[in-house]
């Protein structure tokens, strides 16, 4: 079975631009979470979606938004890019959410560079 | 808010030797989960081992084992018979009992010398 997939692998954007990152969860998984990993640091939680509803949001500005589609894939959108948004963006999927623990499986990430 | 602290930015171990990575955490919850993840240069985050807080027995997975001290809020990872393929960034992570977000530490770079 295919794991979590993310696209694109790498992306270079200019300050002020907008970016959309995509994530496809493992087949059958209904929950997707997004994390930002700045170089040399641990991942920071951005969003969690479950059954197309936002279930959790981390301490990120409103420039960050996300959504989950009926097929459970997800998009992370970032507006008005800043240099500090340069990071590895990780997507993780799990079978369910909110009813105890379900393993989160990570994708390979999207490396975003803002110049 | 929950926090996870890894006080060792970098560790080195000789091939075939044993190394221990440290992690402490802070939470007021009684039900939670702790994890060690490995992130090699390929960037793929891989789960190494999981510990449920309600279990007193320390988790083991082949060469990997943990020392879970709930009262001290300590969760260390021991890697036995270290191999070159163990070289990576290791993250300690916490998840509450409601399936919410993972909270990660800053990571420890593990170098394995041949």
């Amino acid at each position: 079975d295919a794991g979590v997939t993310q696209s694109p692998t790498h992306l270079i954007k200019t300050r002020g631009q907008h970016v959309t990152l995509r994530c496809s969860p493992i087949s059958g998984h209904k929950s997707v979470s997004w994390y930002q990993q700045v170089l040399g640091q641990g991942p920071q939680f951005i969003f969690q979606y479950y059954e197309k509803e936002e279930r959790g949001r981390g301490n990120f500005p409103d420039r960050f938004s996300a959504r989950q589609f009926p097929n459970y894939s997800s998009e992370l959108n970032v507006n008005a890019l800043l240099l500090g948004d340069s990071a590895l963006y990780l997507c993780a999927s799990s079978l369910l959410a909110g009813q105890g623990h379900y393993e989160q499986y990570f994708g390979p990430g999207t490396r975003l560079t803002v110049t | 808010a929950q926090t996870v602290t890894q006080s060792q930015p970098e560790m080195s171990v000789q091939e075939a030797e044993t190394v221990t990575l440290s992690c402490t955490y802070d939470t007021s919850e009684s039900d939670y989960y702790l994890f060690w993840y490995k992130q090699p240069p390929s960037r793929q985050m891989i789960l190494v081992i999981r510990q449920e807080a309600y279990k007193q027995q320390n988790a083991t997975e082949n060469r990997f084992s943990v020392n879970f001290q709930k009262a001290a809020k300590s969760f260390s990872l021991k890697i036995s018979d270290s191999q070159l393929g163990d070289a990576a960034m290791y993250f300690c992570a916490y998840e509450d009992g409601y399936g919410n977000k993972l909270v990660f530490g800053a990571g420890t770079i593990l170098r394995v010398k041949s």
Side-chain angles (χ1 to χ4, degrees):
Chain A
D1 287 340
V4 178
T5 59
Q6 293 185 243
S7 63
T9 305
H10 297 92
L11 200 53
I12 300 175
K13 290 286 190 178
T14 304
R15 275 177 299 176
Q17 286 188 317
H18 163 273
V19 69
T20 297
L21 310 181
R22 296 177 175 83
C23 171
S24 292
I26 292 172
S27 177
H29 283 195
K30 297 182 178 180
S31 179
V32 169
S33 296
W34 288 95
Y35 294 83
Q36 179 197 64
Q37 186 179 12
V38 173
L39 190 63
Q41 298 181 19
Q44 298 289 319
F45 172 74
I46 310 175
F47 287 110
Q48 183 186 54
Y49 276 78
Y50 175 54
E51 289 280 18
K52 301 178 285 296
E53 298 287 329
E54 181 183 301
R55 191 171 176 274
R57 172 187 282 257
N59 188 24
F60 280 81
D62 292 344
R63 299 184 296 108
F64 288 76
S65 63
R67 55 179 176 169
Q68 187 177 32
F69 298 99
N71 67 353
Y72 302 109
S73 67
S74 178
E75 284 183 354
L76 175 69
N77 295 283
V78 187
N79 292 324
L81 285 167
L82 303 174
L83 294 179
D85 295 331
S86 295
L88 179 67
Y89 288 85
L90 296 168
C91 173
S93 78
S94 61
L95 188 63
L96 298 173
Q99 303 168 35
H101 169 70
Y102 292 92
E103 212 71 70
Q104 293 197 38
Y105 296 85
F106 283 85
T110 293
R111 171 71 66 190
L112 172 65
T113 301
V114 182
T115 62
Chain B
Q2 296 86 7
T3 59
V4 176
T5 302
Q6 294 179 250
S7 58
Q8 304 156 315
E10 189 171 329
M11 293 284 285
S12 291
V13 62
Q14 201 70 31
E15 202 175 1
E17 297 294 309
T18 296
V19 65
T20 298
L21 308 184
S22 300
C23 173
T24 59
Y25 60 95
D26 188 28
T27 183
S28 58
E29 302 285 339
S30 58
D31 182 23
Y32 53 88
Y33 301 82
L34 296 166
F35 310 87
W36 280 97
Y37 281 90
K38 170 186 178 181
Q39 187 178 43
S42 66
R43 308 179 327 200
Q44 186 84 41
M45 195 75 77
I46 302 164
L47 178 65
V48 174
I49 198 165
R50 175 205 314 114
Q51 175 77 46
E52 292 88 343
Y54 63 85
K55 290 187 176 180
Q56 292 186 339
Q57 187 172 5
N58 289 324
T60 62
E61 288 287 344
N62 300 314
R63 299 182 294 108
F64 299 87
S65 61
V66 298
N67 183 4
F68 174 47
Q69 301 290 327
K70 191 172 184 179
K73 295 181 181 175
S74 170
F75 182 62
S76 61
L77 174 70
K78 185 172 81 171
I79 305 174
S80 304
D81 185 26
S82 296
Q83 301 174 359
L84 294 177
D86 293 334
M89 177 76 93
Y90 284 80
F91 291 99
C92 178
Y94 165 100
E95 182 189 280
D96 66 24
Y98 304 100
N100 292 323
K101 63 181 180 182
L102 286 165
V103 178
F104 287 87
T108 296
I109 298 172
L110 178 65
R111 304 191 192 281
V112 181
K113 303 175 185 176
S114 58

